[in-house]
């Protein structure tokens, strides 16, 4: 029987969650759990949570607080330990509980440091003052959902500590660092995600930046460039982000309108390539809040909203943008005091902050460690070096600081919450430019009967090319090599502050009119290159270099992105039936695991090298290539599970990839801006460097446990699960569209352990009734807890290319054979 609960004279009918899973609709055990006060008043959370097959939560509530409550509970149930560790991180407590010398990594931006340095960085960056605008500037829906999320997370944690959920979350359930969440932890998490592509790349550089204790001279640009050349660094391709062209994470997406559709209905494909570990995993959920919002899709852990998703009006996805979110400033220091810098003719003090972190040593003893860290008017002081070469160094004459536009982006949460409540495709597009809170990703969207839309309407420092040139410093030539488009400016001049457009929602950023966007009746795409050839029939040009490059070669993956659409529309891909896309052939194409590099070069390579039989490696040793040639001759050209020989090609192309695109040792047909899809082309197989690259690739296989004729499904497996799950797909550097990436590269165990790549995948169209038809995957599954039924089930389906329908209508949800229902209530104190 459903109990009736009275609160303050009001009768409430509900089934209360006990933690048991039941397909019959929960249990009728009582709960005395209490909720925190919200907005000065007592709050009651009430929501329905239904899970369909593969653990997909469908949450229905009358208000955003209750939606957040159920969302927080569900995410804690699936990913408690991971969320708790991230809370520990943003509080700056890693060194206290995980050891000062333990490793801290942000896989999504490549940052690696110690727990101690991580604590100093986050204590310096995610301060109360830094997160306050994220609270005061956010819409009420954001505040309510965030508060509810905390209460839902804490409820699950209380249940766990009360002995419920036996066997779950063994990795952390008894750890002292498993602590309740506070509301400020949510805003620190939001801040951390906002600066993922900016400040947090420099964790070490900010956490350890100190004024010189002795006289340290400043290196000239020529000295730095010479030292980099001696270290083998010739350009951005030899350096980690932010000096490479993109983050370690990436994505693919298509917006297909009627002109590209076989059915006449619009379609959308979205596929972030994110880490399979840590909190930049994506979580799929369906959220309904009264008559205010209904949306389904994925969000990064800890965000009670949908960041990539769909409903009956529109669908959208994101890819990482090429725009820089920060700029460096060079400070001229007071010769008598390296913590004073020149600004408008006067020396001003840096802001000094003493930060104390508790650190546990190898013996388990905890002690206080204190550092003084510094900020300028622009932002934190930092240092940066590459291959031992100090590029940004705090000398007695100069120092360097950073201004981060996303550290100032208090519109971030509003952007996604307002999108989640939008009533039409047109409103979605309008909100993109009017809120302008998207931090570091491009957007593609469409809707039933709507055009295909692209926009890189993101938070970008307003530094036009003319300002970047007028404010350049003597070290600017170094950045012209390392990071074209990233400004290094004179911090002594007020006129080198960022500009503000009239249509910008905040100071210091570009407005919509100066950012690239495009609508078409056929198709748009982005696969992590810049906006320039969103559709090659209508190039976008004339934007500031800080946003992206124009008329430059596209990556092999981007070329494949465009080629797939072009060939589908003209029928040259050989697929049966009429031209254009439907859901079935779109799904076939995006998971086909073929490679642009193989299509461009395999025939030439085999024709040139295989008759020889032996090639010299880069070290001058002869390498027998006969067996490799025989296998590659029979290879089907893909990295599907049954494919044989693709690993040989991968190890060869791994050695080709570092060659600059414009090098004559790479391509004989140079890049032509008029034909970005098909150029450059014709691999220079006569080049000794290319020959050695092939020999080195073959030798790498010979020296590993991998057999030449090994099947990809035996070589490439999930790197995060406790059972062997084969994974198809390739690396971006090979020109793969279907991404499965192993980092760091190590085949000494005879395996490619996949820990990056295809993550959340959605293909969306609409039926004759206007309802979304969506299928996809969370490739690594919904839960990080090995004891969860949702730990590897989606991964196994993905391995078999068994597309999963995402139930959206009430009928589809209620008829799902895997349905489990909870009804969640928490009473106010």
């Amino acid at each position: 029987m459903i109990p009736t609960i009275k609160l303050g004279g009001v009768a409430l009918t509900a089934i209360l969650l006990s933690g048991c899973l039941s397909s019959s609709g929960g249990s009728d055990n009582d709960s005395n759990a209490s909720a925190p006060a919200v907005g000065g008043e007592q709050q009651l959370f009430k929501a329905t949570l239904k899970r369909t097959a593969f653990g997909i939560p469908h949450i229905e509530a009358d208000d955003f607080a209750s939606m957040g409550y159920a969302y927080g509970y569900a995410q804690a149930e699936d990913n408690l330990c991971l969320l708790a560790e991230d809370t520990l991180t943003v509080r700056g407590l890693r060194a206290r509980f995980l050891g000062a010398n333990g490793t801290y990594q942000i896989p999504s931006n490549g940052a690696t440091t110690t727990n101690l340095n991580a604590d100093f960085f986050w204590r310096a960056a995610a301060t109360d003052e830094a997160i306050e605008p994220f609270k005061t500037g956010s819409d009420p829906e954001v505040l309510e959902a965030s508060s509810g999320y905390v209460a839902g997370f804490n409820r699950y944690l209380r249940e766990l500590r009360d002995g419920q959920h036996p066997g779950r979350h063994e990795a952390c359930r008894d750890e002292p660092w498993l602590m309740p969440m506070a509301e400020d932890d949510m805003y620190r998490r939001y801040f951390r995600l906002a600066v993922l592509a900016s400040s947090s790349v420099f964790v070490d550089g900010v956490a350890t930046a100190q004024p010189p204790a002795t006289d340290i001279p400043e290196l000239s640009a020529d000295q730095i460039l010479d030292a980099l050349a001696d270290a083998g660094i010739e350009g951005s391709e030899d350096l980690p982000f932010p000096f490479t062209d993109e983050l370690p994470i990436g994505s693919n997406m298509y917006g297909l309108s009627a002109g590209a559709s076989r059915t006449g209905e619009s379609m959308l494909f979205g596929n972030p390539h994110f880490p399979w570990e840590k909190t930049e995993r994506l979580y799929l959920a369906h959220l309904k809040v009264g008559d205010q919002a209904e949306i389904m899709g994925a969000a990064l852990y800890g965000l009670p909203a949908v960041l990539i998703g769909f409903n009956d009006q529109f669908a959208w996805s994101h890819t990482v943008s090429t725009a820089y979110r920060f700029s460096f400033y060079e400070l001229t220091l007071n010769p008598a005091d390296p913590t004073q810098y020149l600004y408008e003719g006067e020396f001003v003090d840096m802001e000094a902050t003493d930060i104390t972190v508790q650190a546990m040593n190898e013996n388990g003893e905890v002690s206080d460690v204190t550092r003084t860290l510094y900020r300028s008017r622009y932002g934190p002081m930092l240092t940066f070096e590459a291959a031992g070469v100090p590029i940004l160094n705090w000398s007695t004459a100069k120092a360097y600081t950073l201004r981060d536009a996303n550290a100032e982006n208090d519109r971030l949460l509003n952007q996604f919450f307002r999108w989640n409540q939008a009533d039409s495709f047109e409103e979605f597009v309008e909100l993109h430019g009017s809120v302008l809170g998207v931090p570091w990703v491009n957007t593609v969207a469409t809707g039933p009967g709507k055009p295909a839309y692209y926009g890189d309407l993101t938070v970008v420092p307003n530094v036009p090319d003319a300002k970047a040139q007028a404010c350049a410093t003597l070290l600017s030539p170094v950045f012209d090599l390392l990071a074209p488009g990233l400004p290094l400016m004179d911090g002594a001049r007020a006129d080198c502050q960022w500009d503000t457009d009239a249509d910008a929602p905040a100071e210091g950023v570009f407005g919509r009119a100066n950012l690239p966007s495009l609508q078409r009746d056929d198709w748009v795409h982005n696969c992590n290159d810049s906006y320039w050839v969103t559709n090659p029939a209508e190039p976008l040009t004339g934007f500031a270099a800080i946003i992206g490059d124009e008329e430059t070669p596209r990556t092999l993956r981007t070329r494949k992105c465009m080629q797939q659409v072009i060939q589908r529309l003209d029928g040259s891909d050989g697929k049966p039936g009429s031209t254009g896309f439907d859901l079935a052939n779109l799904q076939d194409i995006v998971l086909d695991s073929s490679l642009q590099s193989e299509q461009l070069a395999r025939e030439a390579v085999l024709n040139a090298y295989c008759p020889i039989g032996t090639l010299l490696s880069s070290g001058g040793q002869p390498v027998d290539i006969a067996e490799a040639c025989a296998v590659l001759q029979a290879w089907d050209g893909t990295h599907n599970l049954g494919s044989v020989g693709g690993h040989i090609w991968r190890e060869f192309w791994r050695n080709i990839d570092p060659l600059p695109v414009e090098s004559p040792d790479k391509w004989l047909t140079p890049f032509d801006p008029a034909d970005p899809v098909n150029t450059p082309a014709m691999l220079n197989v006569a080049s000794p460097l290319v020959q050695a690259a092939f020999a080195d690739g073959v030798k790498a296989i010979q020296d590993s446990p991998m057999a030449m004729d090994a099947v990809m499904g035996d070589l490439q497996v999930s790197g995060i699960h406790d059972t062997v799950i084969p994974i198809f797909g390739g690396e971006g550097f090979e020109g793969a569209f279907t991404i499965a990436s192993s980092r760091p590269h190590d085949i000494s165990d005879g395996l490619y352990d996949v820990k990056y790549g295809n993550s959340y995948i959605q293909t969306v169209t609409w039926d004759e009734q206007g309802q979304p038809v969506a299928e996809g995957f969370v490739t690594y599954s919904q839960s990080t807890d090995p004891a969860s039924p949702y730990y590897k089930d989606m991964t196994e389906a993905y391995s078999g290319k068994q597309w999963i329908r995402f139930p959206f209508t009430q009928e589809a949800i209620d008829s799902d054979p895997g349905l489990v229902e909870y009804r969640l209530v928490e009473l106010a104190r």
Side-chain angles (χ1 to χ4, degrees):
M1 184 178 70
I2 299 175
T4 298
I5 302 167
K6 292 187 176 180
L7 176 68
V10 180
L12 300 171
T13 301
I15 295 178
L16 301 180
L17 179 71
S18 70
C20 299
L21 299 181
S22 169
S23 60
S24 62
S27 79
D28 54 7
N29 293 336
D30 201 357
S31 170
N32 296 316
S34 59
V38 175
E41 299 178 358
Q42 299 297 324
Q43 176 70 53
L44 171 71
F45 302 110
K46 182 172 66 173
T48 298
L49 166 59
K50 298 179 179 181
R51 285 190 188 263
T52 51
F54 302 98
I56 301 172
H58 303 263
I59 294 169
E60 187 167 356
D62 291 335
D63 54 77
F64 280 89
S66 295
M67 179 276 290
Y69 179 75
Y71 198 104
Y73 188 95
Q75 283 210 345
E77 183 177 40
D78 289 340
N79 300 290
L80 180 74
C81 297
L82 192 151
L83 289 165
E85 183 184 341
D86 196 55
T87 299
L88 195 73
T89 297
V90 296
R91 288 182 180 181
L93 295 173
R94 293 186 65 90
R96 166 65 181 84
F97 290 99
L98 304 180
N101 295 322
T103 300
Y104 171 66
Q105 292 181 307
I106 310 177
S108 47
N109 70 17
T112 300
T113 186
T114 64
N115 288 333
L116 184 62
N117 283 349
D119 286 349
F120 277 111
F121 174 83
W122 290 115
R123 291 280 188 93
T127 61
D128 291 345
E129 293 76 18
I131 66 171
E132 185 62 24
F134 283 71
K135 294 189 286 187
T136 58
S138 289
D139 292 340
E141 294 87 346
V142 177
L143 305 179
E144 293 164 12
S146 300
S147 172
Y149 186 99
V150 169
F153 177 95
N154 289 342
R155 173 170 180 167
Y156 184 85
L157 177 58
R158 286 195 302 272
E159 292 177 358
L160 192 77
R161 287 178 168 168
D162 288 343
Q164 299 182 48
H165 318 296
R168 296 300 303 272
H169 312 291
E170 293 291 345
C172 70
R173 65 181 296 148
D174 297 323
E175 294 291 338
W177 50 265
L178 180 58
M179 297 177 282
M181 189 181 290
E183 286 189 35
D184 276 359
D185 295 326
M186 295 293 286
Y187 294 94
R188 286 189 166 85
R189 189 187 312 275
Y190 302 153
F191 180 90
R192 185 180 71 74
L193 293 171
V195 301
L196 186 69
S198 43
S199 298
S200 68
V201 177
F202 304 101
V203 173
D204 259 345
V206 171
T208 63
Q210 294 292 299
T214 59
D215 186 18
I216 298 176
E218 183 76 5
L219 297 180
S220 69
D222 287 342
Q223 288 174 314
I224 292 173
L225 291 173
D226 288 345
L228 290 173
D230 291 341
I233 295 174
E234 298 180 358
S236 62
E237 65 276 358
D238 300 314
L239 292 169
F241 182 83
F243 301 108
T244 50
D245 293 332
E246 60 184 72
L247 281 160
I249 52 179
S251 309
N252 297 332
M253 61 183 176
Y254 291 137
L256 305 169
S257 191
S261 170
R262 179 184 287 181
T263 66
E265 186 53 271
S266 298
M267 281 175 279
L268 183 127
F269 165 71
N271 177 17
H273 306 149
F274 270 50
W276 287 25
E277 301 177 294
K278 304 298 183 182
T279 50
E280 275 67 76
R281 285 170 49 119
L282 289 146
Y283 187 82
L284 171 62
H286 179 191
L287 312 176
K288 186 175 182 181
V289 182
D291 59 0
Q292 298 178 73
E294 182 171 14
I295 204 79
M296 188 171 189
L300 297 170
Y301 285 14
L303 274 75
V306 169
L307 306 187
I308 293 174
F310 61 89
N311 61 15
D312 58 346
Q313 296 295 317
F314 51 83
W316 81 100
S317 194
H318 296 301
T319 59
V320 177
S321 162
T322 59
Y324 288 106
R325 312 297 162 183
F326 60 95
S327 72
F328 293 126
Y329 281 93
E330 182 179 276
L331 303 182
T332 299
L333 302 181
N334 183 346
D337 184 350
T339 65
Q340 290 186 332
Y341 62 97
L342 192 67
Y343 186 75
E344 287 297 286
E346 296 183 0
F347 286 114
V348 295
D349 291 325
M350 295 176 187
E351 177 187 336
T353 303
D354 293 331
I355 298 174
T356 298
V357 168
Q358 287 191 314
M360 180 173 63
N361 64 23
E362 294 179 356
N363 297 324
E365 298 170 343
V366 176
S367 59
D368 290 346
V369 180
T370 300
R371 293 179 188 171
T372 303
L373 298 181
Y374 296 85
R375 295 179 61 87
S376 72
R377 70 180 59 244
Y378 304 102
M381 303 301 298
L382 79 158
T383 59
F384 182 80
E385 67 174 40
V389 179
I391 298 171
L392 298 177
N393 194 28
W394 195 336
S395 72
T396 49
K398 302 285 186 181
Y400 297 88
T401 186
L402 166 149
R403 183 178 176 187
D404 186 337
N406 272 320
E408 306 169 15
N409 179 14
D410 60 3
R411 305 172 306 286
L412 169 65
L413 280 304
N414 293 345
Q415 182 75 70
F416 292 99
F417 274 80
R418 292 183 193 179
W419 267 347
N420 287 186
Q421 299 173 77
D423 291 327
S424 66
F425 167 80
E426 290 78 11
E427 184 181 2
F428 179 95
V429 172
E430 192 280 328
L431 286 168
H432 196 195
S434 60
V435 179
L436 230 168
V438 176
W440 35 262
V441 287
N442 303 284
T443 302
V444 157
T446 190
K450 302 300 181 181
Y453 166 77
Y454 162 84
D456 190 355
L457 306 188
T458 50
V459 178
V460 185
N462 195 325
V463 184
D465 294 351
K467 169 158 284 195
Q469 294 166 6
C471 291
T473 77
L474 294 177
L475 283 194
S476 291
V478 175
F479 286 86
D480 292 339
L481 169 73
L482 297 181
L486 175 58
L488 170 62
M489 299 194 291
D490 185 354
R493 296 161 47 190
D495 62 350
C496 292
Q497 293 272 12
W498 297 346
D499 291 344
T500 301
D501 285 345
D503 62 343
E507 291 186 0
V509 296
F510 286 113
R512 183 202 312 240
N514 283 321
L515 294 167
S517 64
L518 181 67
Q519 284 199 44
R520 289 184 61 88
D521 292 328
D522 51 3
W523 63 280
V524 295
H525 92 289
N526 187 270
C527 293
N528 295 125
D529 273 307
S530 74
Y531 53 83
W532 170 49
V533 282
T534 293
N535 185 305
E538 192 175 355
L540 298 169
T541 59
F543 297 94
I546 195 173
I547 304 171
D549 54 355
E550 300 171 6
E551 300 189 341
T552 57
R554 306 291 90 176
T555 63
L556 290 177
R557 176 160 59 90
T558 289
R559 291 171 63 183
K560 186 159 187 61
C561 282
M562 296 186 287
Q563 181 194 71
Q564 288 177 160
V565 178
I566 292 167
Q567 291 183 344
R568 179 80 295 269
L569 297 185
D570 65 19
S572 61
D573 59 3
K575 295 188 178 299
S578 60
T579 60
F581 286 92
D582 57 28
L583 206 62
N585 65 33
L586 175 61
Q587 291 175 347
D588 179 58
I589 287 168
V590 299
L591 295 188
D592 80 352
S593 300
S594 59
L595 308 171
Q596 186 77 357
S597 62
E598 181 274 335
Q599 295 166 7
L600 288 170
R602 178 166 59 143
E603 182 178 358
V605 166
L606 298 185
N607 288 344
Y609 301 156
C610 292
I612 301 173
T614 301
L615 291 176
L616 293 180
S617 71
S618 57
Q621 295 86 19
V623 177
D624 184 347
I625 63 170
E627 183 183 5
C629 282
V631 173
L632 286 176
Q633 290 282 7
W635 176 40
D636 67 3
T638 77
H639 286 324
N640 282 307
L641 297 185
S643 299
V644 177
H647 59 304
I648 305 171
W649 187 264
R650 176 179 295 173
E651 296 311 310
F652 159 50
W653 208 264
R654 191 184 304 278
N655 302 320
I656 290 290
D657 184 56
L659 292 174
V661 172
E662 65 276 6
S663 168
D665 286 303
K666 195 164 190 176
W667 303 108
L668 295 174
T669 301
F671 168 69
D672 181 356
D675 190 10
V677 179
N678 299 305
T679 62
M682 292 184 63
L683 186 67
N684 184 1
V685 293
S687 165
L689 292 178
V690 175
Q691 294 176 25
F694 189 80
D696 288 348
V698 172
K699 191 173 188 306
I701 301 298
Q702 292 172 344
D703 292 344
S704 79
M706 293 177 169
M708 284 292 171
D709 60 353
V711 177
M712 182 56 72
D714 293 335
L715 298 177
Q716 188 163 266
V717 299
S718 169
I720 67 165
H721 289 99
D722 55 4
T723 55
V724 175
I725 305 176
I727 303 295
F728 54 85
E731 298 270 11
F733 67 78
E734 303 173 90
F737 181 91
T738 311
I739 301 299
S741 184
S742 304
R743 302 176 190 169
H745 171 58
D746 180 8
I747 57 174
S748 62
D749 62 352
L751 293 174
Y752 295 114
D753 298 304
V754 176
K755 296 182 180 180
Y756 289 78
N758 286 5
S759 52
Y760 172 67
I761 299 175
Q762 64 177 23
T763 55
V764 185
T765 189
W766 291 266
D767 64 18
E768 293 179 355
Q769 289 73 46
Q771 289 299 319
V773 178
E775 296 182 347
F777 305 95
V778 178
T779 60
Y780 32 67
S781 301
Q782 289 277 81
S783 177
T784 49
D785 179 14
S788 168
Y790 312 125
Y791 173 63
K792 59 185 177 183
D793 53 345
M794 271 210 213
T795 311
E796 292 169 336
Y798 176 69
S799 176
K801 297 188 181 180
Q802 299 166 353
W803 287 81
I804 296 166
R805 180 63 61 94
F806 296 163
F808 187 81
T809 65
Q810 198 65 52
E811 179 183 2
I813 295 166
D814 290 342
S815 63
D816 189 285
L819 184 66
V820 175
E821 183 172 347
Y822 309 63
R823 294 176 191 167
L824 299 174
V825 169
E826 182 158 325
L827 303 180
R829 290 171 179 165

